[in-house]
Amino acid sequence: MVVSTVLIGALSACNSGDKKSGADAAAAPSGAAASAGASAGGSAGGSAPAAGAKDLDPKAALAASAAVMEKAGNAKLVMTGATPDDSGTGLFAWKSPQALELSVQDEGKETKVLFAGDVMYVGVDAEMGAMFPGKKWLKLDPKAGSAAPGMEDLNAFGSMLQLLNPAVELAANAQAGKLSKVGPEKVDGVDTVHYKSTIAAKDLVAAMTGLSDALKASVLKELTSTGTESTMDFWINAQGELVQMGGTDLSPGKGAASAAANAVTTLKYTDLGKAAVPAAPPAGEVADMSELLKSLGTS
């Protein structure tokens, strides 16, 4: 998935030795969600659609759900891809201050990844513990380490967070997608209505208002690694909450195995507005990758 492409690229960087911050970028698209919600006849504050929401046309349903998700601001996240390395569980806060904590698989081992603001942290496992005694997290700051060999991909994690953001995805597809209603379906026992959208990558990025040109270019590069269009599926419940999202714009890029190149990854959001918001770890638990690279003379 695009998410995995950026995430695994960042993890690989870790294992190998006037831009907007990620938090600013996450806050900026709220205008798109607000305008989308207004076009649906709802408020940008995220008022739940009326009981007849299942009868909304696809554009109105996605726009109203964008407002609901924007108001919720956070959730528990379950990510399921074609392989264990494309899957994970965690916590995501898409309102500022933006943060994401995921437990993912990396070459068969569980790895914890934390994004707080515009900084990435990777959990120190037993193998890395010898290099960083007493530390629980390795800090990878794209601003401090962008010049280091192999760390360039860290600058792309802002695009990953945009693609995970349900309010951004819903608003963008409501505005620019070719939409259809698949029909009622249950997701984990919950009644939902399934909607499908096909959207040009350039239109998806254009609908992400408020992003810096650099971040837009990063998102577009990732999206077009497998084609010029994305197909997205949204499962929305009677309260206008996005229960599940899936699509090919979340699928592996060119570096993935060809069999998985067009695989669909699904994201499930639960405990909307009630999930714990991840925070940056205490300084005493953190080792700084940029300092290590400087000491080794590689930056």
Side-chain angles (χ1 to χ4, degrees):
M1 60 191 278
V2 166
V3 170
S4 289
T5 300
V6 179
L7 178 60
I8 299 305
L11 288 173
S12 297
C14 165
N15 292 334
S16 66
D18 177 48
K19 291 181 180 179
K20 289 193 175 188
S21 70
D24 292 336
S30 60
S35 61
S39 70
S43 69
S47 297
K54 65 181 180 180
D55 298 321
L56 292 176
D57 66 78
K59 180 180 178 68
L62 265 63
S65 185
V68 170
M69 298 303 285
E70 179 72 16
K71 181 179 180 181
N74 63 69
K76 290 182 178 179
L77 182 68
V78 176
M79 181 172 72
T80 305
T83 70
D85 284 357
D86 295 320
S87 304
T89 59
L91 302 167
F92 184 27
W94 51 89
K95 274 190 176 180
S96 183
Q98 181 173 255
L100 169 67
E101 183 175 344
L102 279 177
S103 293
V104 299
Q105 293 292 317
D106 181 30
E107 297 182 351
K109 297 183 295 183
E110 183 179 50
T111 300
K112 288 189 176 181
V113 182
L114 170 64
F115 299 98
D118 54 2
V119 178
M120 176 181 177
Y121 302 85
V122 178
V124 174
D125 59 19
E127 184 178 345
M128 295 167 60
M131 296 177 61
F132 308 107
K135 304 299 184 181
K136 296 181 179 180
W137 296 94
L138 178 62
K139 177 181 178 181
L140 299 100
D141 187 339
K143 293 178 181 177
S146 58
M151 294 186 71
E152 296 85 356
D153 285 342
L154 288 179
N155 293 290
F157 73 69
S159 66
M160 184 195 79
L161 297 181
Q162 290 299 312
L163 294 167
L164 281 174
N165 188 324
V168 168
E169 283 280 6
L170 285 160
N173 280 274
Q175 291 176 16
K178 297 175 183 178
L179 306 173
S180 62
K181 180 187 290 187
V182 179
E185 292 181 8
K186 284 187 179 291
V187 176
D188 296 334
V190 176
D191 290 323
T192 71
V193 178
H194 179 184
Y195 301 92
K196 186 176 288 290
S197 175
T198 300
I199 187 169
K202 62 180 180 61
D203 291 334
L204 176 59
V205 174
M208 293 179 175
T209 59
L211 302 188
S212 68
D213 290 342
L215 187 52
K216 281 190 174 183
S218 175
V219 177
L220 187 60
K221 179 181 178 180
E222 293 296 338
L223 289 177
T224 54
S225 65
T226 53
T228 59
E229 287 189 335
S230 299
T231 300
M232 295 296 297
D233 292 88
F234 302 94
W235 288 261
I236 300 172
N237 68 14
Q239 289 72 47
E241 298 167 340
L242 181 64
V243 176
Q244 179 173 282
M245 175 172 72
T248 56
D249 80 354
L250 304 170
S251 297
K254 292 181 179 178
S258 58
N262 294 309
V264 173
T265 294
T266 60
L267 305 170
K268 292 182 180 180
Y269 301 88
T270 61
D271 290 5
L272 296 179
K274 301 176 182 177
V277 176
E285 297 181 359
V286 176
D288 195 320
M289 185 66 169
S290 64
E291 293 300 321
L292 174 65
L293 292 172
K294 288 178 182 178
S295 69
L296 296 175
T298 57
S299 63

